[in-house]
Amino acid sequence: MEIIFLLIGISLVLAIFFLVAFIRAVRSGQYEDDYTPSIRILLEDTPTQDKNLNDNPTKL
Amino acid sequence: MYSPTHTVDTLTCFHCGTSCGKDHLHFEEKDFCCVGCKSVYQFLKAENMEAYYNLSEHPGISPLTDTTGRYDYLSEASVADSLLDFKGKQFANVTFYIPQMHCISCIWLLEKLYALHKGVRHSQVNFNRKQIKVTFDHQLLSLKELAQLLAVLGYEPEINLAGKKDQYVSSRSSKRLYYQIGVAGFCFGNVMLISLPEYFDWDGVMGEHFKSLFGFLNLGLALPVLFYAALDYYKSAWAALRQRTLNLDVPLVAGMLALFLTSAWQILSGTGPGYMDSFTGLLFFLLTGKAFQQKTYQHISFERDYKSYLPLSARVLIDGQQSSRALDKLKVGDRLLVKNNEIIPADSILLKGKAWIDYSFVSGEAEPVEKTLGELIHAGGKHKGSTIELEVVKEVSGSYFTQLWNYDIFAKKEEFLETIANRAGRRFSYLLFVISCISFIYWLPDLDQAVMVFASILIVACPCALALSSPYTFGNAIRILGRNRFYLKNAAVVEKLASVDTLVFDKTGTLTCSDQFEISYQGRELSPVERNMLSSLFAQSVHPLSVSLHKFLGTASQPVEQFEEHIGQGLSARLLGSSLRAGSMKFILSSGEEKHLLQTRVYVEIDHEVLGYFELQSRFRPGLEQFKEDLKEYRFAICSGDTPKDRVRLEEILPEDTNYRFSQSPEEKWEFIKQQQQQKHHIAMIGDGLNDAGALKSSDVGIAISEQSGHFSPACDSILEAGQFHRLPDFLTFSKWSVRVVYASFFISATYNVVGLSFAVQGHLSPVIAAVLMPLSSITIVLFTTLSTNMLAKKLKLA
């Protein structure tokens, strides 16, 4: 039964780890915009591809 | 009657989606409404950014036609630095507010700024706040050029030098709430886990040393909740006590402290397991309720000052040279240039040109006022017509407009908020105080027992359900109303809206649509040729009446000769050998003008034959005719700064006992509201302009009508988008029902308390029942309030 001491310790450490992760997420401003990222992920990133290829032939 | 059936009107602009008028352009098999829209299209096409048009239909915004000099003040280093968030050796950061942002395409284009100018390193949009944060190379691109780039694309940034600080503060306090919820949630979860053996009476299995360990762990986990998460409740309760009143937080804090102290005593003395699970859980639910209630519309400002209505800079003429100057640096004697549709920034005298000033926002007068040379023009009016030259006679801060805004009597004292919850909390506190004192005295011979009874009454009676019901009900109500484009400043406004019994309306811009006339023609039938001739005549003038009539008659525009505009009277010209005249009755018929004509009439004459007249009436907002039926239980009043010319038409559609007040000054409007309030009426003022500012502020609920959210509106409690005006009866009904939902949930929570108490009295309150009952009552309240408000919204067909 003494193993419970250890288990409780581990579970508390884990929980504190999540709490710290949450606080860091709030601090970094993740909760300030809950809409734009959901749109941003849907947008194509390369509409200017052709032009870039033509403009920067040296990079190829 | 003539109806405009031009094919041109059915075309919509490929860029911005508005219907194309007379300046319609056809380019690459696409239609554009103006040169501006076409140039944005060409610009984006040249940059291979056409994907902008694929993401949503007609995503564009018609750009400003003339941006030269508009952002000149940004080249001043001190101004630019005050706007920048950060400035390094090479890169700088700036955040712009862009009210025009509205769709996916906007996000896409604004985050692709780097493809349009190599000076832009990175741009990120916050759509909810309508903000864009740009990192740019300030050696390649100045702040002024960046603002210009955005304006050219149609995303004109709204720059407000004063607004930056407030935003920072509000963002910090909302972060703090998140931290508190995080801490409370963490402690609540772990305490529940550790208390689990206790619920099922596993003493035999676990042994005594576990029991004390668990007890101390619970105590330790409750400390962050006590000292951090609950902090704001102590502050609120203390503030109430200091003002010698009671709010709901007082019994709440008493209950919390009793709960914590009893539990701590039980744990430390080894007499019991304590109720730390209830304590932490209570705080967790309360804080989530608070967060739910704190729905804010980040892109809408309810507290604007005059600075955000006036432009930031003005065009100044110095030795014949145009330059731009910040508004607060304008001096008496400065020469100003004001173009069509621009706002007069300071009280000044007209030096050159003809001016029609639209004061509808400042005074409520529907029709523009004509100003002749040498006349004084007050700040705040919108100039319509060709460019004029002015001389400043008063600095901006001394103008009538600014004074109107800063009027002391209009200032509303921040009184202690009398909400349903606080009222209930106060009655509850008195009752609680009496009951617990009687019990304490009853048990007094046995001090230990007396303290125990005292504490347990406080715990059981802790008004947690009471404290949860209004945040969840009103928080949900705010969201539902917001989805229907009725934006409330905070949750307390829902309650105030429900108590309203009198509706006071402004007329111009509130009951009537600004800039829209209902036009009818009386007289001899006009032939198509005559129509075209008159239309060409009206096309020459920028007077709003002429503009409307020109639109009404079709968009023909032939060059005329000998055009003359007779100030305050009418127009005359020659076309195709005929003489044309249009104007007031006096001008055309040479007979005395009827002073109190109810409608605006424009008489027309071709070759000295009077053909007839056009009658122009302001158009009422659709849905107004339903108000009489739908809002039977309310008293109506009209309080307008305009002349009583629309009174007859209003009497037809509004209830008989409506109180009409016309030609009211802003002060008179404010006094009317005050006087009604003294008669114990609760008033909702519905207005739109600056002349309503005082009335909006002093009324119980000030509702500002705005043509578009994000547009300018005076300080108020709520903003209603003009297109939703006809839903007002539904919104009022909804607010009334929301309050009933709160009362119903009070009843539910009382039932829980009675059940809990009866168990406790009989000595049957086992830890597991107590532990289940507490969260169960909270969850019931949360579910009941949100589900019933959603159901109500559905019943009223709110989105």
Side-chain angles (χ1 to χ4, degrees):
Chain A
M1 264 314 192
E2 273 65 33
I3 191 69
I4 286 193
F5 286 112
L6 183 68
L7 288 177
I8 284 178
I10 292 172
S11 88
L12 265 182
V13 168
L14 260 177
I16 287 172
F17 169 77
F18 283 121
L19 179 66
V20 171
F22 173 75
I23 287 172
R24 282 190 57 155
V26 174
R27 186 160 294 173
S28 72
Q30 270 186 39
Y31 290 84
E32 279 174 26
D33 187 1
D34 50 9
Y35 180 75
T36 330
S38 69
I39 296 295
R40 195 175 291 138
I41 198 165
L42 299 173
L43 298 175
E44 290 292 339
D45 212 18
T46 50
T48 53
Q49 203 178 38
D50 297 352
K51 188 170 178 260
N52 286 345
L53 290 178
N54 295 336
D55 285 356
N56 310 314
T58 46
K59 276 191 179 173
L60 286 174
Chain B
M1 279 305 304
Y2 171 79
S3 64
T5 47
H6 279 270
T7 47
V8 181
D9 286 322
T10 59
L11 292 176
T12 50
C13 177
F14 178 70
H15 177 72
C16 69
T18 50
S19 61
C20 302
K22 57 166 176 166
D23 303 320
H24 158 247
L25 296 162
H26 200 70
F27 178 74
E28 292 186 355
E29 297 182 10
K30 292 175 176 77
D31 296 296
F32 295 96
C33 67
C34 61
V35 186
C37 288
K38 186 187 138 206
S39 63
V40 178
Y41 169 74
Q42 281 176 304
F43 180 60
L44 291 176
K45 192 168 184 284
E47 299 282 344
N48 258 331
M49 303 274 280
E50 280 167 293
Y52 179 60
Y53 296 101
N54 302 334
L55 292 165
S56 43
E57 219 171 313
H58 311 305
I61 301 130
S62 193
L64 291 170
T65 40
D66 186 13
T67 55
T68 42
R70 204 179 162 81
Y71 296 107
D72 280 355
Y73 61 94
L74 289 180
S75 41
E76 219 174 287
S78 63
V79 176
D81 286 347
S82 73
L83 284 171
L84 291 176
D85 300 331
F86 163 81
K87 189 177 182 181
K89 259 187 191 151
Q90 194 183 1
F91 294 112
N93 259 335
V94 69
T95 308
F96 280 131
Y97 171 60
I98 299 179
Q100 290 90 338
M101 208 186 281
H102 66 285
C103 68
I104 300 180
S105 289
C106 302
I107 300 177
W108 181 83
L109 182 65
L110 290 171
E111 298 202 335
K112 284 275 173 301
L113 283 182
Y114 65 85
L116 295 173
H117 195 292
K118 60 176 188 278
V120 178
R121 262 306 147 107
H122 178 74
S123 52
Q124 194 173 3
V125 169
N126 182 333
F127 191 78
N128 288 341
R129 293 196 183 158
K130 308 213 170 190
Q131 278 177 346
I132 179 171
K133 195 172 181 172
V134 188
T135 310
F136 62 101
D137 186 333
H138 56 77
Q139 281 151 14
L140 287 173
L141 179 74
S142 71
L143 188 64
K144 178 187 142 194
E145 286 162 340
L146 178 63
Q148 247 161 3
L149 173 69
L150 287 165
V152 163
L153 292 172
Y155 297 100
E156 182 200 349
E158 195 177 295
I159 297 166
N160 186 350
L161 298 169
K164 236 174 111 181
K165 217 167 146 192
D166 306 341
Q167 238 169 24
Y168 181 66
V169 173
S170 82
S171 137
R172 237 182 33 180
S173 76
S174 81
K175 267 188 184 176
R176 178 185 153 98
L177 183 60
Y178 281 126
Y179 294 143
Q180 287 177 332
I181 292 176
V183 168
F186 159 79
C187 297
F188 175 47
N190 284 290
V191 170
M192 283 279 270
L193 204 67
I194 291 167
S195 306
L196 207 62
E198 201 61 52
Y199 299 158
F200 299 106
D201 225 3
W202 287 345
D203 293 353
V205 191
M206 301 301 289
E208 206 47 48
H209 50 296
F210 278 120
K211 228 177 166 175
S212 67
L213 169 76
F214 288 167
F216 280 105
L217 272 175
N218 277 349
L219 184 58
L221 282 167
L223 289 177
V225 176
L226 181 75
F227 289 115
Y228 181 66
L231 218 57
D232 289 343
Y233 289 97
Y234 306 149
K235 277 184 193 160
S236 159
W238 179 238
L241 286 176
R242 275 223 323 224
Q243 292 197 20
R244 286 164 203 285
T245 130
L246 291 167
N247 59 7
L248 187 60
D249 290 339
V250 176
L252 207 57
V253 167
M256 274 189 236
L257 291 179
L259 196 56
F260 179 82
L261 291 174
T262 324
S263 311
W265 168 249
Q266 284 189 7
I267 291 166
L268 290 173
S269 64
T271 47
Y275 312 100
M276 287 308 183
D277 48 347
S278 299
F279 172 69
T280 49
L282 171 65
L283 257 303
F284 178 66
F285 284 118
L286 285 175
L287 288 169
T288 11
K290 204 169 170 184
F292 188 70
Q293 189 185 28
Q294 261 186 5
K295 167 80 185 168
T296 48
Y297 298 98
Q298 290 161 329
H299 62 284
I300 296 178
S301 173
F302 293 98
E303 307 284 350
R304 307 237 189 167
D305 72 352
Y306 66 93
K307 282 182 193 140
S308 45
Y309 179 67
L310 294 175
L312 275 173
S313 67
R315 274 190 207 85
V316 188
L317 267 186
I318 302 167
D319 304 326
Q321 292 287 311
Q322 264 193 57
S323 70
S324 155
R325 184 173 290 178
L327 224 53
D328 50 352
K329 295 207 173 107
L330 281 184
K331 295 258 153 34
V332 173
D334 278 348
R335 296 282 180 98
L336 301 178
L337 276 187
V338 177
K339 294 189 177 176
N340 187 22
N341 271 334
E342 285 185 343
I343 291 164
I344 310 292
D347 290 0
S348 37
I349 281 173
L350 185 61
L351 290 185
K352 213 187 262 176
K354 264 177 283 184
W356 278 285
I357 311 294
D358 175 5
Y359 279 122
S360 61
F361 190 78
V362 181
S363 67
E365 293 161 88
E367 273 156 41
V369 182
E370 219 151 357
K371 295 282 182 184
T372 45
L373 293 185
E375 258 190 287
L376 178 71
I377 301 180
H378 285 298
K382 204 182 221 177
H383 168 59
K384 307 230 167 184
S386 47
T387 308
I388 49 169
E389 209 179 303
L390 303 167
E391 186 180 303
V392 178
V393 292
K394 249 186 209 161
E395 283 171 28
V396 177
S397 54
S399 70
Y400 172 68
F401 176 82
T402 320
Q403 282 167 1
L404 205 57
W405 205 283
N406 295 338
Y407 223 37
D408 274 346
I409 53 165
F410 289 166
K412 198 186 208 169
K413 262 199 281 175
E414 260 331 305
E415 70 242 43
F416 205 67
L417 213 55
E418 178 69 4
T419 58
I420 299 176
N422 279 341
R423 208 161 44 234
R426 186 164 56 238
R427 285 182 195 150
F428 191 82
S429 310
Y430 290 133
L431 194 70
L432 192 66
F433 183 72
V434 171
I435 292 178
S436 43
C437 282
I438 291 174
S439 321
F440 185 77
I441 293 164
Y442 178 80
W443 287 100
L444 200 57
D446 182 353
L447 190 66
D448 279 357
Q449 188 65 18
V451 171
M452 275 313 290
V453 168
F454 186 77
S456 46
I457 287 175
L458 285 182
I459 294 165
V460 174
C462 178
C464 47
L466 207 65
L468 281 173
S469 50
S470 57
Y472 276 100
T473 311
F474 297 139
N476 203 29
I478 283 199
R479 282 175 170 74
I480 289 165
L481 292 173
R483 277 205 295 276
N484 290 280
R485 281 168 285 158
F486 181 32
Y487 307 100
L488 305 188
K489 190 161 116 185
N490 55 42
V493 179
V494 184
E495 271 183 65
K496 287 197 220 149
L497 204 58
S499 66
V500 160
D501 64 355
T502 306
L503 303 172
V504 181
F505 293 94
D506 168 48
K507 186 183 71 75
T508 317
T510 304
L511 293 182
T512 64
C513 314
S514 39
D515 286 350
Q516 277 189 48
F517 293 104
E518 254 171 66
I519 302 173
S520 60
Y521 173 74
Q522 297 287 319
R524 207 201 74 190
E525 186 106 15
L526 295 173
S527 71
V529 180
E530 284 167 339
R531 263 173 197 294
N532 276 342
M533 284 164 72
L534 289 172
S535 179
S536 307
L537 173 67
F538 290 126
Q540 306 306 315
S541 161
V542 289
H543 189 285
L545 292 180
S546 307
V547 173
S548 302
L549 286 169
H550 171 62
K551 247 190 204 155
F552 176 73
L553 285 168
T555 47
S557 177
Q558 297 164 42
V560 298
E561 291 156 18
Q562 296 172 22
F563 174 74
E564 241 181 291
E565 196 154 3
H566 309 271
I567 298 286
Q569 301 175 60
L571 317 167
S572 67
R574 290 192 71 80
L575 175 68
L576 304 171
S578 311
S579 78
L580 303 170
R581 268 151 55 86
S584 66
M585 195 184 206
K586 195 177 177 185
F587 181 62
I588 301 292
L589 302 178
S590 318
S591 66
E593 188 156 357
E594 293 170 49
K595 254 288 171 218
H596 295 291
L597 206 61
L598 289 173
Q599 281 83 26
T600 309
R601 287 178 182 175
V602 175
Y603 285 78
V604 288
E605 181 193 277
I606 297 180
D607 284 334
H608 308 291
E609 183 200 352
V610 180
L611 303 176
Y613 60 84
F614 291 96
E615 205 168 86
L616 291 98
Q617 295 181 322
S618 44
R619 179 177 291 176
F620 291 134
R621 288 199 191 280
L624 185 62
E625 64 282 353
Q626 280 299 314
F627 280 19
K628 187 180 179 177
E629 194 60 33
D630 294 345
L631 295 169
K632 267 188 193 137
E633 65 266 45
Y634 292 93
R635 299 161 70 239
F636 276 68
I638 303 287
C639 221
S640 170
D642 202 14
T643 55
K645 62 174 191 250
D646 284 324
R647 179 166 180 157
V648 176
R649 284 201 302 150
L650 280 168
E651 276 171 350
E652 277 168 25
I653 49 174
L654 293 179
E656 282 95 45
D657 54 351
T658 305
N659 190 344
Y660 293 96
R661 303 173 78 87
F662 287 100
S663 312
Q664 299 275 299
S665 72
E667 290 87 348
E668 281 169 325
K669 287 189 177 195
W670 176 81
E671 270 163 20
F672 176 66
I673 301 278
K674 280 279 155 203
Q675 173 211 330
Q676 291 292 308
Q677 280 174 332
Q678 273 160 15
Q679 296 169 16
K680 302 274 175 236
H681 289 299
H682 294 275
I683 297 170
M685 171 76 205
I686 300 116
D688 72 313
L690 180 60
N691 62 329
D692 307 317
L696 284 171
K697 262 190 186 172
S698 59
S699 59
D700 297 78
V701 183
I703 304 172
I705 303 276
S706 166
E707 290 293 336
Q708 244 182 328
S709 67
H711 269 203
F712 182 83
S713 54
C716 56
D717 300 305
S718 58
I719 293 174
L720 174 62
E721 226 175 88
Q724 294 288 333
F725 182 72
H726 63 285
R727 303 301 306 267
L728 196 65
D730 294 330
F731 296 151
L732 289 167
T733 316
F734 181 66
S735 69
K736 283 194 164 170
W737 277 100
S738 309
V739 171
R740 282 176 211 166
V741 168
V742 173
Y743 282 125
S745 55
F746 283 0
F747 178 74
I748 295 177
S749 79
T751 315
Y752 267 109
N753 271 351
V754 169
V755 171
L757 262 171
S758 65
F759 268 106
V761 166
Q762 294 167 29
H764 291 318
L765 197 65
S766 69
V768 65
I769 292 181
V772 168
L773 215 55
M774 203 284 302
L776 192 67
S777 71
S778 302
I779 290 167
T780 318
I781 295 297
V782 171
L783 283 180
F784 172 74
T785 53
T786 45
L787 288 182
S788 49
T789 37
N790 280 346
M791 248 168 59
L792 273 175
K794 215 171 187 179
K795 211 178 133 205
L796 290 168
K797 298 197 175 64
L798 299 173

